[in-house]
Amino acid sequence: MALFVEVARRKSFSQAAAALGMPISSLSRRITQFEAAVGLRLLDRTTRKIALSAYGEAYFAQATRLVEEAQRSFDDLIAQAKGPSGFLKVAAPSDFWVLQHLSGIVSEFSQQHEHVHIHLDLRASQVDLVRENYDLAITTEEPREASLIVRKIGDVENGLFAAPAYLLARGRPKHPHDLAQHDVLLPVAAASTTWQFSRDGETVATSVAGRISCNSLSLARRLAVTGRGITCASLINVERDLDSGRLHPVLSDWSLPPTSVYIVTTSRLLPAKARRFIDFVTKRLNPVFAGAGRSAPMDQQLRGIDQIIPARACA
């Protein structure tokens, strides 16, 4: 049953065999024997792909629950004896806040759970949790697959930022519509896009454009610091640039939709190592997100910047 679930989930004998650590020939033979024992074809095989038969679809849903419950019971038994253990593979975005905060959180978790080996894979885009054998992913993009389990762990405040040299040369926008006269570092591969701003119950949608676009938040931040345009960024990612004066806030009295942060898994029935890690990360990241840029010194600094140079999810 467990072997069938692994093959059906991955739609591949080779990937399932690699995950299980067994030869493809042995896995194929065991599945064939299993089908012969029940007298039904569960998998339709061709030279190019594997698909579930109608019987296979029905059995897969039931078998998955049983296999996951059995695995969780086994993990809980081991966890009671020596604590959570095993290899935990986690995907996370390459944002600055991940490098700054998640590294310390993972280090602390590792110290408290010596039998868990954690592998962090920083990715610019979403991963295939099943095919790439991840236990979970931390992401700022809500997955489209309905089968995935998504847990929201917080919101990150967004804003517009630019270098002092850019604002001195081009002026400071006073209203979202003024962005039409500025170079905006776009986060999408397009010549223009639309952003939505809000202030005191008022909502404004405005078109923004620029000569440079990139899907890397780190690169967009660097371009903004060197004066190439106005960037939309999470406040938590540019706090140090604001402190040092490398970046100044733009249209700080207007709000942009926040960026939500999620933890994604393939099942609600998780092994002890994954459950413990999710609880640990959630508790420590929530105050980080809630406190980003809300300290008194930072608020005072932002007000001071607006006085010096008169005149916040981005997609």
Side-chain angles (χ1 to χ4, degrees):
M1 184 186 298
L3 299 183
F4 165 76
V5 167
E6 198 69 36
V7 174
R9 179 182 289 145
R10 298 174 184 276
K11 301 293 192 300
S12 167
F13 273 98
S14 59
Q15 291 182 15
L20 294 166
M22 64 187 300
I24 299 176
S25 58
S26 300
L27 177 59
S28 179
R29 183 173 63 255
R30 294 283 296 276
I31 296 297
T32 300
Q33 292 172 345
F34 184 45
E35 289 176 318
V38 298
L40 296 170
R41 178 171 290 280
L42 303 176
L43 296 171
D44 291 325
R45 306 164 177 81
T46 68
T47 55
R48 293 186 176 182
K49 65 178 183 178
I50 295 174
L52 288 168
S53 67
Y55 296 110
E57 288 279 4
Y59 183 68
F60 177 57
Q62 300 176 22
T64 298
R65 289 194 296 270
L66 292 173
V67 169
E68 289 179 345
E69 288 174 1
Q71 183 63 52
R72 178 171 176 173
S73 297
F74 177 78
D75 289 334
D76 287 344
L77 183 63
I78 298 298
Q80 290 176 14
K82 62 176 184 179
S85 62
F87 187 84
L88 186 67
K89 191 176 179 183
V90 180
S94 55
D95 297 5
F96 174 75
W97 68 264
V98 173
L99 303 178
Q100 184 181 25
H101 296 287
L102 191 60
S103 57
I105 294 173
V106 169
S107 296
E108 185 181 355
F109 179 85
S110 181
Q111 291 176 350
Q112 296 184 18
H113 302 85
E114 59 182 15
H115 298 295
V116 178
H117 177 99
I118 305 173
H119 175 73
L120 278 177
D121 191 348
L122 299 187
R123 295 288 192 92
S125 58
Q126 291 188 17
V127 298
D128 189 323
L129 295 180
V130 174
R131 290 185 177 275
E132 299 183 61
N133 205 30
Y134 285 89
D135 292 284
L136 60 99
I138 301 172
T139 179
T140 55
E141 301 176 34
E142 188 170 3
R144 298 176 181 177
E145 295 86 347
S147 61
L148 295 176
I149 308 303
V150 181
R151 300 167 175 84
K152 181 179 175 180
I153 62 173
D155 287 318
V156 179
E157 183 181 350
N158 292 311
L160 298 184
F161 307 94
Y166 175 88
L167 296 174
L168 184 62
R170 301 289 298 274
R172 172 180 289 272
K174 297 180 180 180
H175 188 275
H177 290 326
D178 294 342
L179 292 172
Q181 309 303 320
H182 286 266
D183 286 326
V184 174
L185 300 167
L186 300 175
V188 293
S192 65
T193 189
T194 300
W195 286 347
Q196 183 171 293
F197 296 81
S198 60
R199 181 182 66 179
D200 299 330
E202 178 186 4
T203 300
V204 172
T206 187
S207 178
V208 297
R211 292 174 292 171
I212 301 177
S213 64
C214 67
N215 65 347
S216 168
L217 297 176
S218 297
L219 179 56
R221 171 201 154 272
R222 179 61 183 166
L223 289 167
V225 167
T226 56
R228 298 309 302 268
I230 298 174
T231 186
C232 175
S234 298
L235 186 56
I236 195 173
N237 280 331
V238 297
E239 283 181 317
R240 292 198 307 181
D241 297 311
L242 294 172
D243 287 337
S244 66
R246 289 189 295 265
L247 289 177
H248 287 180
V250 176
L251 296 173
S252 57
D253 54 336
W254 289 85
S255 297
L256 284 158
T259 296
S260 297
V261 181
Y262 308 94
I263 288 183
V264 183
T265 61
T266 59
S267 172
R268 296 186 186 277
L269 296 175
L270 300 173
K273 60 184 180 182
R275 296 200 312 273
R276 197 71 59 89
F277 182 81
I278 290 173
D279 291 342
F280 193 89
V281 168
T282 301
K283 289 178 181 178
R284 280 155 179 77
L285 281 183
N286 269 324
V288 170
F289 296 153
R294 290 183 173 85
S295 63
M298 177 64 73
D299 291 340
Q300 293 168 5
Q301 183 182 15
L302 297 186
R303 288 196 293 270
I305 290 171
D306 284 335
Q307 293 169 2
I308 294 172
I309 306 179
R312 248 176 342 168
C314 310

